[in-house]
Amino acid sequence: MFAATILSLFPEMFPGPLGLSLAGDALARGLWSLEARDIREHGLGRHRAVDDTPAGGGPGMVMRADVLAASLDAALQPDDARPRLIMSPRGAPLTQRQARQWAAGPGLVVVCPRFEGVDERVIAGRGLIEVSIGDYVLSGGEIAALVVLDACVRLIPGVMGKLESGTSESFEDGGLEYPHYTRPREWEGRAIPEVLLNGDHGKIARWRREQSERLTRERRPDLLRE
Ligand code: ADE
């Protein structure tokens, strides 16, 4: 079973949206599990401090290596084979391919940093993989962790209804998905493309491929160069 462990200063943010709809139903059905742990339980002193001022000076605070390592060590199971991620805008960008690989594995341990950053030594010392969800800065790793888990959980076998719905969508074969239509046949003067109404499945497949290629060329030419 895919087991997710989250380390956060705000564990009450979980499961959050992952407790509803597709992911939530799968959670209730036991297709995956989620444990959110409070890093502050390993904080130091009366105030349970988890951060300190940056060595060398500068703005903001840095999450302490010893505190985060203690939290991580307490969260890991014996012989825990799960990849250990830490959410960060300087990480490797999340991709559909990566989500598919993680979804096929034993689960994930995901650290959600707050503050200016995390002491670099815990990243190296605990083999944390830095992962970004895009080129913008969030106020903490929690929402990014929810994104990673959502992308993985929907790919766990049994979570999605049709096997197909996971394979013929954007990014799966390198491009963006073709446009969709349903009833009514005409809406506010806009008609469904004729080719979709004629039942010629060869023509329909070709039209969809062309549309997918056109959209990818127009919107994401970077995907074609890969
Ligand atoms: N934390 C802050 N910004 C982030 C981003 N873009 N991706 C992952 N984690 C983050």
Side-chain angles (χ1 to χ4, degrees):
M1 200 234 309
F2 184 96
T5 297
I6 303 290
L7 303 185
S8 167
L9 290 170
F10 301 97
E12 57 276 34
M13 287 197 193
F14 300 87
L18 298 181
L20 302 167
S21 191
L22 191 78
D25 292 344
L27 191 58
R29 284 194 288 143
L31 292 176
W32 69 292
S33 70
L34 176 65
E35 177 197 22
R37 301 173 70 105
D38 191 349
I39 297 169
R40 199 170 294 284
E41 281 179 18
H42 298 271
L44 304 175
R46 200 159 53 87
H47 297 291
R48 299 234 160 258
V50 298
D51 59 334
D52 212 326
T53 53
M61 298 290 272
V62 175
M63 201 175 266
R64 292 178 60 116
D66 49 359
V67 171
L68 191 50
S71 172
L72 199 56
D73 294 346
L76 295 176
Q77 295 145 14
D79 299 316
D80 204 318
R82 294 176 294 171
R84 306 162 189 181
L85 315 186
I86 181 164
M87 304 315 303
S88 162
R90 65 172 214 198
L94 176 68
T95 61
Q96 187 65 19
R97 177 193 299 265
Q98 182 61 262
R100 204 165 264 290
Q101 277 171 11
W102 285 332
L108 293 172
V109 178
V110 187
V111 176
C112 303
R114 288 264 151 183
F115 316 121
E116 202 56 35
V118 166
D119 189 310
E120 190 71 20
R121 294 170 294 180
V122 72
I123 298 174
R126 289 295 180 275
L128 302 181
I129 305 162
E130 293 180 87
V131 177
S132 167
I133 65 160
D135 291 343
Y136 39 78
V137 181
L138 305 170
S139 50
E142 286 80 7
I143 292 175
L146 288 168
V147 168
V148 169
L149 288 182
D150 185 89
C152 292
V153 163
R154 59 190 292 281
L155 298 173
I156 296 169
V159 171
M160 267 188 294
K162 269 190 284 165
L163 216 82
E164 180 197 283
S165 33
T167 52
S168 72
E169 59 190 5
S170 288
F171 310 116
E172 283 295 342
D173 13 72
L176 302 183
E177 206 182 7
Y178 54 78
H180 298 281
Y181 299 87
T182 186
R183 280 183 280 270
R185 215 178 150 121
E186 193 180 308
W187 175 76
E188 294 192 349
R190 296 167 193 270
I192 294 178
E194 202 57 39
V195 59
L196 299 178
L197 304 170
N198 291 338
D200 183 336
H201 295 290
K203 268 195 185 155
I204 291 171
R206 184 147 51 88
W207 181 85
R208 285 177 170 164
R209 204 161 43 242
E210 286 163 5
Q211 292 294 314
S212 165
E213 283 164 13
R214 175 184 61 80
L215 285 170
T216 309
R217 218 167 30 243
E218 284 172 12
R219 299 179 183 179
R220 295 295 305 276
D222 57 303
L223 293 177
L224 296 172
R225 282 194 289 273
E226 277 168 15

